[in-house]
Amino acid sequence: MSSPQRTVLIDTDTASDDAVALIMALRSPQIHVAAITVVAGNVPVEQATRNALVTVELCGADVPVYTGAAKPLQRELEPATWFHGMDGLGDCGYAPTHRISEPTHAVDAIIATALRHPGLELITLGPLTNIAQAIQREPRIVDNISRCVVMGGAPCCEGNVTPAAEFNIWVDPEAARIVMLSGLPIELVGWQLSRYDAVLNEHDIDQVLAIGTPLAEFVIRCNGRAREAYFEQTGEHGISLPDPIAMALLLEPALAVEASDHYVEIETVSPLTRGMTVVDRLDVTADSRNATVWKTAHAQNKAKVIWKLDVPGWKRLLMTTLAASK
Ligand SMILES: [Ca+2]
């Protein structure tokens, strides 16, 4: 097989669903993963780095892992260990890896990778702290990034941290705002896409386990606590996988069956709606009555908001990727 033409950088706050997304990327013949950069989010950045290394090692992959921001730009880190377990991987006691992270800081790695690979595809699975810092330090990287798939936000629907906000955006709204308004070609994969029929149900879980590999077993086991927590939070059974769904949309853009381009702003001030992804779904920013609220220049900078996922297609891709690792 010829080597894939698509080069991808993954930024992750590696916990249980991130790990599954990493596996999908590392096993995919469609892309070359140039780097994994780690950010504080679900767990502190040192733990997230260990989790990324565990996953890379489990995949037998040779991809550099870089540690990045230990806290949001202006706020203290508030992790989601209640959801993912204290170690972020369901507290199963995964052994430390032989691999170690690179000495270079993640922000430097993002800049260097983007400058070295014009057309780079970027996917973010955690708070946007690293990416915001990279853009601020070297704005030229924006022109080299052909896609920026962001798992984050709750466009026009309920949040999972507060009624208004999804975790990744809520943790570091200032960083999210910088990225959203940077001119990057954002594809916004909101949390709502990972709910309801997109959740791995009992049958799906049995199907994954039937693959019978250590990797397939790891996918289910490391999400054990997240499975419980998702039920506590939503009353829905099964394993919800926001990051792997974002990865599926990176790998196969056609899995987005409904999407449209809109101006997206991030609330950074209000305590009530901190981290809200405000989507201009009806393009009212073009209305002159909004001139004092919305800056027209920003309104030119639209993100692609994914509204509907091909659910059977997403599950098929997950199963195929895991089965191929046999
Ligand atoms: Ca994540």
Side-chain angles (χ1 to χ4, degrees), residues 290-307:
N290 288 314
T292 54
V293 181
W294 303 90
K295 292 190 172 57
T296 312
H298 288 166
Q300 306 303 320
N301 180 21
K302 291 183 175 179
K304 175 183 282 191
V305 181
I306 316 292
W307 299 109

Side-chain angles (χ1 to χ4, degrees), residues 10-15 18 37-45 48 68-73 76-80 84 110 122-133 149-153 161 166-177 179 243 274:
I10 306 170
D11 191 73
T12 161
D13 59 335
T14 317
D18 299 73
T37 56
V38 183
V39 66
N42 287 323
V43 288
V45 72
K71 63 191 278 292
L73 294 182
E76 292 307 310
L77 176 66
E78 297 185 60
H84 295 279
I110 291 166
L122 176 61
I123 179 164
T124 70
L125 307 177
L128 290 152
T129 321
N130 283 343
I131 311 300
Q133 287 183 329
V149 176
V150 172
M151 191 286 122
V161 180
E166 175 277 335
F167 179 80
N168 287 345
I169 309 295
W170 178 84
V171 166
D172 196 346
E174 286 78 17
R177 185 165 192 271
V179 172
D243 292 345
R274 161 187 169 181

Side-chain angles (χ1 to χ4, degrees), residues 51 74 88 101 109 113 132 195 220-221 246 259 273:
N51 296 345
Q74 298 177 22
S101 58
T113 307
R195 297 194 60 194
I220 302 304
R221 190 154 175 253
T273 56

Side-chain angles (χ1 to χ4, degrees), residues 243-299:
D243 292 345
I245 285 174
M247 189 61 75
L249 288 161
L250 174 103
L251 294 170
E252 292 191 10
L255 291 175
V257 291
E258 198 183 317
S260 48
D261 295 343
H262 302 285
Y263 176 45
V264 180
E265 252 287 10
I266 308 295
E267 174 60 50
T268 57
V269 180
S270 159
L272 178 65
T273 56
R274 161 187 169 181
M276 185 175 186
T277 41
V278 181
V279 177
D280 181 15
R281 198 164 184 176
L282 298 180
D283 289 330
V284 295
T285 48
D287 190 320
S288 59
R289 286 168 297 176
N290 288 314
T292 54
V293 181
W294 303 90
K295 292 190 172 57
T296 312
H298 288 166

Side-chain angles (χ1 to χ4, degrees), residues 77-307:
L77 176 66
E78 297 185 60
T81 45
W82 80 270
F83 193 94
H84 295 279
M86 290 310 292
D87 71 355
L89 292 178
D91 297 324
C92 302
Y94 294 112
T97 59
H98 300 296
R99 298 183 64 92
I100 55 169
S101 58
E102 306 297 318
T104 307
H105 192 278
V107 172
D108 296 316
I110 291 166
I111 294 169
T113 307
L115 294 179
R116 199 181 312 129
H117 297 283
L120 179 73
E121 294 179 49
L122 176 61
I123 179 164
T124 70
L125 307 177
L128 290 152
T129 321
N130 283 343
I131 311 300
Q133 287 183 329
I135 292 168
Q136 287 188 318
R137 198 177 306 163
E138 182 46 275
R140 287 185 302 157
I141 64 171
V142 169
D143 292 334
N144 271 20
I145 295 170
S146 65
R147 294 175 74 197
C148 178
V149 176
V150 172
M151 191 286 122
C156 308
C157 70
E158 68 271 27
N160 61 2
V161 180
T162 72
E166 175 277 335
F167 179 80
N168 287 345
I169 309 295
W170 178 84
V171 166
D172 196 346
E174 286 78 17
R177 185 165 192 271
I178 289 167
V179 172
M180 208 58 70
L181 303 182
S182 66
L184 276 174
I186 306 278
E187 297 170 38
L188 196 66
V189 181
W191 178 67
Q192 82 283 0
L193 294 172
S194 62
R195 297 194 60 194
Y196 307 115
D197 58 342
V199 168
L200 295 197
N201 58 35
E202 208 62 53
H203 172 72
D204 300 324
I205 291 167
D206 287 346
Q207 214 181 325
V208 171
L209 290 173
I211 295 169
T213 58
L215 215 48
E217 196 269 343
F218 172 77
V219 162
I220 302 304
R221 190 154 175 253
C222 80
N223 276 284
R225 172 57 203 154
R227 186 178 181 178
E228 291 170 1
Y230 185 70
F231 177 72
E232 289 165 19
Q233 186 176 53
T234 66
E236 290 174 50
H237 291 284
I239 300 176
S240 175
L241 294 170
D243 292 345
I245 285 174
M247 189 61 75
L249 288 161
L250 174 103
L251 294 170
E252 292 191 10
L255 291 175
V257 291
E258 198 183 317
S260 48
D261 295 343
H262 302 285
Y263 176 45
V264 180
E265 252 287 10
I266 308 295
E267 174 60 50
T268 57
V269 180
S270 159
L272 178 65
T273 56
R274 161 187 169 181
M276 185 175 186
T277 41
V278 181
V279 177
D280 181 15
R281 198 164 184 176
L282 298 180
D283 289 330
V284 295
T285 48
D287 190 320
S288 59
R289 286 168 297 176
N290 288 314
T292 54
V293 181
W294 303 90
K295 292 190 172 57
T296 312
H298 288 166
Q300 306 303 320
N301 180 21
K302 291 183 175 179
K304 175 183 282 191
V305 181
I306 316 292
W307 299 109

